[in-house]
Amino acid sequence: MSVALADALHRLGEEGSTGVLRAGDGEFHLVRGTIASVGCGRTIGLDRLVVEAGVATAEDWRRAGAGDPGGLLGRPQLETLALLSVFDAAYFLLASAGEPEFRPAPEHWLAPVCHIAPRALVHECERRNDNEHGPWSADLVTKVAVVPARRIRRNQVVLTGSQAEILAAADTRRSIAEIARDLGRTTYGCLVAVRDLTTAGLIETPEPVWTEQPQRGRHLALAPDLADHRTSTPSTTSVPALPKRIPGSAGPTRPQLETGARQGRHAIDEEATATARHRGNRAGTAEPERWQQVDRETLIRLRAALEELA
């Protein structure tokens, strides 16, 4: 959970502030320290929820946003949907990093039916975080497609109506957020259903999403050619060239080597990064390799390991 965002909500609640707190891909609307509305780019909007539920038409919602809510605020179901929308959007906003920014603004028109204390909102989001299980984390709702399982491990699986609807909508292309938007459901509700379907073996486990480029050339590269290492300056971007066959009388490039054939593999792999560890001084020149005497048995084991790799 974003500590900075939670602290900002607590502070604005204690100060009784009115305005908009922007964070990540969404915003919190506060009225006299309470939260009246929350919007997030990864969740369905309250406007869509009320239309799908038949509480109001799109035109009714447009007029309410323009300052003429009419009888919309008196409809009991609107309060329930507003609460669902707030907790849905706040869950994903509080789970993402980002520096919040507050600016004063007029009171939101939903304040008469929706006024949630920041502490209650943060507490509910923490409770939802504690109930997380399985590989589907909150940040995957827009990054990974929902893929039905090719094989079902159980003979009989009992599904709720919501789970069956989401399973039918899984088409290997749409993410959880896209399915929620198409079905007119909350994103958090769809996330929970997908978690349960994955546990039941009906949805494939999502592939991990990498945020960093993996290092290349580390595990497959061997030691650089000895002659090239002594006469040239190592490159800062290229992978060392594959070595030539090392005769039995030649010495290794490092004074301390692991024993055994498998340990020899790791020692050779470590040599692949020797040029990176011995890049020159501040002027950019490489320091020459210093040779030291190694016992004959170690050389024999090294040669056996090299022949096995060849």
Side-chain angles (χ1 to χ4, degrees):
M1 175 175 290
S2 173
V3 177
L5 181 54
D7 289 344
L9 287 172
H10 289 320
R11 176 177 53 81
L12 293 171
E14 293 174 354
E15 295 174 354
S17 302
T18 299
V20 179
L21 178 66
R22 299 188 183 278
D25 61 341
E27 57 188 22
F28 296 78
H29 293 266
L30 292 98
V31 177
R32 295 185 295 278
T34 61
I35 299 171
S37 177
V38 182
C40 176
R42 288 163 285 173
T43 62
I44 188 173
L46 179 57
D47 56 341
R48 176 75 184 282
L49 288 178
V50 297
V51 172
E52 291 288 337
V55 175
T57 64
E59 180 60 25
D60 292 337
W61 191 261
R62 187 193 64 77
R63 287 199 306 266
D68 181 22
L72 184 59
L73 292 176
R75 300 176 187 177
Q77 199 173 358
L78 176 62
E79 181 178 356
T80 302
L81 295 175
L83 292 174
L84 286 175
S85 175
V86 166
F87 286 116
D88 187 32
Y91 170 75
F92 294 100
L93 291 180
L94 284 167
S96 57
E99 194 65 25
E101 179 183 356
F102 178 76
R103 61 175 178 81
E107 294 186 3
H108 196 279
W109 66 272
L110 281 170
V113 296
C114 185
H115 33 79
I116 305 170
R119 290 189 180 277
L121 180 67
V122 173
H123 176 74
E124 171 61 19
C125 292
E126 288 177 342
R127 185 194 66 81
R128 293 185 177 188
N129 285 330
D130 293 339
N131 292 334
E132 283 188 0
H133 63 277
W136 289 95
S137 57
D139 61 332
L140 296 183
V141 295
T142 59
K143 298 178 181 179
V144 178
V146 181
V147 180
R150 297 180 180 179
R151 295 183 179 179
I152 300 177
R153 298 189 300 269
R154 303 179 185 180
N155 294 329
Q156 184 177 6
V157 179
V158 178
L159 301 179
T160 65
S162 176
Q163 291 173 344
E165 189 177 22
I166 292 171
L167 181 61
D171 56 3
T172 73
R173 298 190 308 273
R174 288 182 292 180
S175 65
I176 293 177
E178 290 172 328
I179 291 175
R181 190 172 292 110
D182 292 343
L183 296 180
R185 297 183 177 274
T186 62
T187 303
Y188 178 75
C190 288
L191 173 61
V192 172
V194 169
R195 287 172 177 168
D196 293 339
L197 290 169
T198 304
T199 302
L202 301 178
I203 294 292
E204 295 285 351
T205 300
E207 294 292 334
V209 177
W210 302 101
T211 57
E212 296 180 357
Q213 290 294 330
Q215 296 180 355
R216 298 180 179 178
R218 167 66 178 171
H219 301 290
L220 298 180
L222 300 180
D225 185 75
L226 298 179
D228 295 341
H229 183 70
R230 293 194 300 269
T231 59
S232 62
T233 301
S235 171
T236 59
T237 57
S238 61
V239 177
L242 292 176
K244 297 180 181 179
R245 195 67 169 272
I246 302 177
S249 59
T253 60
R254 302 297 298 169
Q256 298 175 345
L257 295 173
E258 302 281 357
T259 59
R262 291 190 176 181
Q263 293 173 334
R265 287 175 182 266
H266 295 292
I268 294 169
D269 179 61
E270 187 65 21
E271 279 295 320
T273 57
T275 55
R277 294 196 305 270
H278 289 279
R279 283 170 187 160
N281 53 24
R282 294 181 180 180
T285 58
E287 203 176 288
E289 188 74 25
R290 295 184 179 181
W291 293 83
Q292 297 185 18
Q293 183 64 33
V294 182
D295 62 277
R296 187 170 182 276
E297 292 184 359
T298 302
L299 293 176
I300 293 175
R301 287 194 291 269
L302 175 62
R303 181 178 181 181
L306 290 171
E307 289 178 347
E308 183 178 308
L309 291 172

Short mmCIF file of all heavy atoms in Angstrom, two decimals, residues 198-224:
data_model
loop_
_atom_site.label_atom_id
_atom_site.label_comp_id
_atom_site.label_asym_id
_atom_site.label_seq_id
_atom_site.Cartn_x
_atom_site.Cartn_y
_atom_site.Cartn_z
N THR A 198 -8.80 -19.51 -10.82
CA THR A 198 -7.43 -20.02 -10.98
C THR A 198 -7.16 -21.11 -9.95
O THR A 198 -6.56 -22.15 -10.27
CB THR A 198 -6.41 -18.88 -10.83
OG1 THR A 198 -6.71 -17.86 -11.77
CG2 THR A 198 -4.99 -19.39 -11.07
N THR A 199 -7.61 -20.90 -8.71
CA THR A 199 -7.45 -21.92 -7.68
C THR A 199 -8.20 -23.20 -8.05
O THR A 199 -7.72 -24.32 -7.78
CB THR A 199 -7.96 -21.39 -6.33
OG1 THR A 199 -7.24 -20.20 -5.99
CG2 THR A 199 -7.79 -22.42 -5.23
N ALA A 200 -9.36 -23.05 -8.69
CA ALA A 200 -10.15 -24.22 -9.11
C ALA A 200 -9.58 -24.89 -10.35
O ALA A 200 -10.09 -25.94 -10.76
CB ALA A 200 -11.59 -23.79 -9.37
N GLY A 201 -8.55 -24.31 -10.95
CA GLY A 201 -7.94 -24.90 -12.14
C GLY A 201 -8.64 -24.59 -13.43
O GLY A 201 -8.40 -25.25 -14.45
N LEU A 202 -9.52 -23.58 -13.44
CA LEU A 202 -10.26 -23.22 -14.65
C LEU A 202 -9.62 -22.05 -15.41
O LEU A 202 -9.98 -21.82 -16.56
CB LEU A 202 -11.71 -22.87 -14.29
CG LEU A 202 -12.50 -23.97 -13.59
CD1 LEU A 202 -13.89 -23.49 -13.25
CD2 LEU A 202 -12.55 -25.22 -14.45
N ILE A 203 -8.74 -21.33 -14.76
CA ILE A 203 -8.01 -20.22 -15.39
C ILE A 203 -6.52 -20.51 -15.27
O ILE A 203 -6.05 -20.97 -14.22
CB ILE A 203 -8.34 -18.87 -14.72
CG1 ILE A 203 -9.81 -18.51 -14.95
CG2 ILE A 203 -7.43 -17.75 -15.22
CD1 ILE A 203 -10.16 -18.18 -16.39
N GLU A 204 -5.79 -20.25 -16.33
CA GLU A 204 -4.34 -20.47 -16.31
C GLU A 204 -3.65 -19.49 -15.37
O GLU A 204 -4.07 -18.32 -15.25
CB GLU A 204 -3.75 -20.32 -17.72
CG GLU A 204 -4.24 -21.35 -18.73
CD GLU A 204 -3.61 -22.71 -18.51
OE1 GLU A 204 -2.66 -22.80 -17.69
OE2 GLU A 204 -4.05 -23.68 -19.15
N THR A 205 -2.60 -19.95 -14.72
CA THR A 205 -1.79 -19.07 -13.89
C THR A 205 -1.12 -18.03 -14.76
O THR A 205 -0.56 -18.37 -15.81
CB THR A 205 -0.72 -19.88 -13.14
OG1 THR A 205 -1.37 -20.85 -12.31
CG2 THR A 205 0.14 -18.97 -12.27
N PRO A 206 -1.16 -16.75 -14.41
CA PRO A 206 -0.57 -15.71 -15.27
C PRO A 206 0.94 -15.81 -15.33
O PRO A 206 1.60 -16.22 -14.37
CB PRO A 206 -1.01 -14.40 -14.59
CG PRO A 206 -1.18 -14.77 -13.15
CD PRO A 206 -1.72 -16.18 -13.16
N GLU A 207 1.47 -15.45 -16.50
CA GLU A 207 2.92 -15.40 -16.65
C GLU A 207 3.45 -14.21 -15.88
O GLU A 207 2.81 -13.16 -15.80
CB GLU A 207 3.29 -15.25 -18.13
CG GLU A 207 2.93 -16.47 -18.97
CD GLU A 207 3.77 -17.68 -18.62
OE1 GLU A 207 4.91 -17.48 -18.13
OE2 GLU A 207 3.31 -18.81 -18.82
N PRO A 208 4.65 -14.34 -15.29
CA PRO A 208 5.23 -13.19 -14.55
C PRO A 208 5.53 -12.03 -15.48
O PRO A 208 5.92 -12.23 -16.63
CB PRO A 208 6.51 -13.77 -13.94
CG PRO A 208 6.83 -14.96 -14.78
CD PRO A 208 5.52 -15.51 -15.24
N VAL A 209 5.31 -10.82 -14.98
CA VAL A 209 5.58 -9.60 -15.75
C VAL A 209 6.89 -9.02 -15.25
O VAL A 209 7.02 -8.68 -14.07
CB VAL A 209 4.44 -8.57 -15.57
CG1 VAL A 209 4.77 -7.28 -16.31
CG2 VAL A 209 3.14 -9.15 -16.08
N TRP A 210 7.87 -8.93 -16.16
CA TRP A 210 9.19 -8.42 -15.78
C TRP A 210 9.23 -6.91 -15.95
O TRP A 210 8.81 -6.38 -16.96
CB TRP A 210 10.29 -9.06 -16.62
CG TRP A 210 10.31 -10.55 -16.51
CD1 TRP A 210 9.81 -11.46 -17.39
CD2 TRP A 210 10.83 -11.32 -15.42
NE1 TRP A 210 9.99 -12.73 -16.94
CE2 TRP A 210 10.62 -12.68 -15.72
CE3 TRP A 210 11.45 -10.97 -14.21
CZ2 TRP A 210 11.02 -13.70 -14.87
CZ3 TRP A 210 11.85 -12.00 -13.37
CH2 TRP A 210 11.63 -13.34 -13.70
N THR A 211 9.75 -6.24 -14.93
CA THR A 211 9.89 -4.78 -14.98
C THR A 211 11.28 -4.35 -15.39
O THR A 211 11.51 -3.20 -15.69
CB THR A 211 9.56 -4.16 -13.62
OG1 THR A 211 10.40 -4.73 -12.62
CG2 THR A 211 8.11 -4.43 -13.25
N GLU A 212 12.23 -5.28 -15.37
CA GLU A 212 13.60 -4.96 -15.74
C GLU A 212 14.05 -5.91 -16.84
O GLU A 212 13.59 -7.04 -16.94
CB GLU A 212 14.54 -5.09 -14.54
CG GLU A 212 14.25 -4.10 -13.43
CD GLU A 212 15.19 -4.27 -12.26
OE1 GLU A 212 16.04 -5.19 -12.31
OE2 GLU A 212 15.10 -3.48 -11.31
N GLN A 213 14.97 -5.42 -17.66
CA GLN A 213 15.53 -6.26 -18.70
C GLN A 213 16.46 -7.28 -18.06
O GLN A 213 17.34 -6.92 -17.29
CB GLN A 213 16.31 -5.41 -19.72
CG GLN A 213 15.44 -4.53 -20.57
CD GLN A 213 14.54 -5.34 -21.48
OE1 GLN A 213 14.89 -6.44 -21.89
NE2 GLN A 213 13.38 -4.81 -21.80
N PRO A 214 16.33 -8.56 -18.37
CA PRO A 214 17.23 -9.55 -17.78
C PRO A 214 18.64 -9.39 -18.31
O PRO A 214 18.85 -8.97 -19.44
CB PRO A 214 16.61 -10.89 -18.22
CG PRO A 214 15.84 -10.56 -19.46
CD PRO A 214 15.33 -9.15 -19.27
N GLN A 215 19.62 -9.74 -17.46
CA GLN A 215 21.01 -9.68 -17.90
C GLN A 215 21.27 -10.76 -18.93
O GLN A 215 20.81 -11.88 -18.79
CB GLN A 215 21.93 -9.86 -16.70
CG GLN A 215 21.81 -8.73 -15.68
CD GLN A 215 22.75 -8.94 -14.51
OE1 GLN A 215 23.41 -9.97 -14.43
NE2 GLN A 215 22.80 -7.97 -13.62
N ARG A 216 22.01 -10.43 -19.93
CA ARG A 216 22.31 -11.36 -21.01
C ARG A 216 23.78 -11.71 -21.01
O ARG A 216 24.62 -10.93 -20.65
CB ARG A 216 21.92 -10.76 -22.36
CG ARG A 216 20.42 -10.46 -22.45
CD ARG A 216 20.08 -9.86 -23.78
NE ARG A 216 18.65 -9.58 -23.89
CZ ARG A 216 18.09 -9.02 -24.94
NH1 ARG A 216 18.82 -8.67 -25.98
NH2 ARG A 216 16.79 -8.81 -24.96
N GLY A 217 24.06 -12.91 -21.50
CA GLY A 217 25.44 -13.33 -21.67
C GLY A 217 26.10 -13.80 -20.38
O GLY A 217 27.29 -14.09 -20.39
N ARG A 218 25.37 -13.90 -19.30
CA ARG A 218 25.96 -14.25 -18.02
C ARG A 218 26.16 -15.74 -17.90
O ARG A 218 27.22 -16.20 -17.49
CB ARG A 218 25.06 -13.74 -16.90
CG ARG A 218 25.39 -14.29 -15.51
CD ARG A 218 26.71 -13.84 -15.02
NE ARG A 218 26.96 -14.36 -13.67
CZ ARG A 218 28.09 -14.27 -13.06
NH1 ARG A 218 29.12 -13.69 -13.66
NH2 ARG A 218 28.25 -14.74 -11.83
N HIS A 219 25.15 -16.54 -18.21
CA HIS A 219 25.22 -17.96 -17.91
C HIS A 219 25.79 -18.79 -19.05
O HIS A 219 26.29 -19.88 -18.81
CB HIS A 219 23.82 -18.48 -17.56
CG HIS A 219 23.22 -17.78 -16.39
ND1 HIS A 219 23.69 -17.96 -15.11
CD2 HIS A 219 22.21 -16.87 -16.28
CE1 HIS A 219 22.99 -17.22 -14.26
NE2 HIS A 219 22.10 -16.55 -14.95
N LEU A 220 25.70 -18.32 -20.28
CA LEU A 220 26.17 -19.11 -21.40
C LEU A 220 27.55 -18.71 -21.88
O LEU A 220 28.19 -19.45 -22.61
CB LEU A 220 25.17 -19.01 -22.57
CG LEU A 220 23.78 -19.54 -22.27
CD1 LEU A 220 22.90 -19.37 -23.50
CD2 LEU A 220 23.83 -20.99 -21.85
N ALA A 221 28.01 -17.53 -21.50
CA ALA A 221 29.31 -17.07 -21.98
C ALA A 221 30.44 -17.78 -21.24
O ALA A 221 30.36 -18.04 -20.05
CB ALA A 221 29.46 -15.57 -21.77
N LEU A 222 31.53 -18.12 -21.96
CA LEU A 222 32.70 -18.72 -21.37
C LEU A 222 33.79 -17.67 -21.25
O LEU A 222 33.61 -16.51 -21.59
CB LEU A 222 33.18 -19.90 -22.22
CG LEU A 222 32.15 -21.03 -22.38
CD1 LEU A 222 32.74 -22.13 -23.23
CD2 LEU A 222 31.75 -21.58 -21.02
N ALA A 223 34.96 -18.11 -20.77
CA ALA A 223 36.05 -17.16 -20.58
C ALA A 223 36.53 -16.63 -21.92
O ALA A 223 36.52 -17.34 -22.94
CB ALA A 223 37.20 -17.85 -19.86
N PRO A 224 37.01 -15.38 -22.01
CA PRO A 224 37.53 -14.83 -23.25
C PRO A 224 38.84 -15.49 -23.64
O PRO A 224 39.52 -16.09 -22.82
CB PRO A 224 37.73 -13.34 -22.92
CG PRO A 224 37.92 -13.32 -21.45
CD PRO A 224 37.07 -14.41 -20.91
#
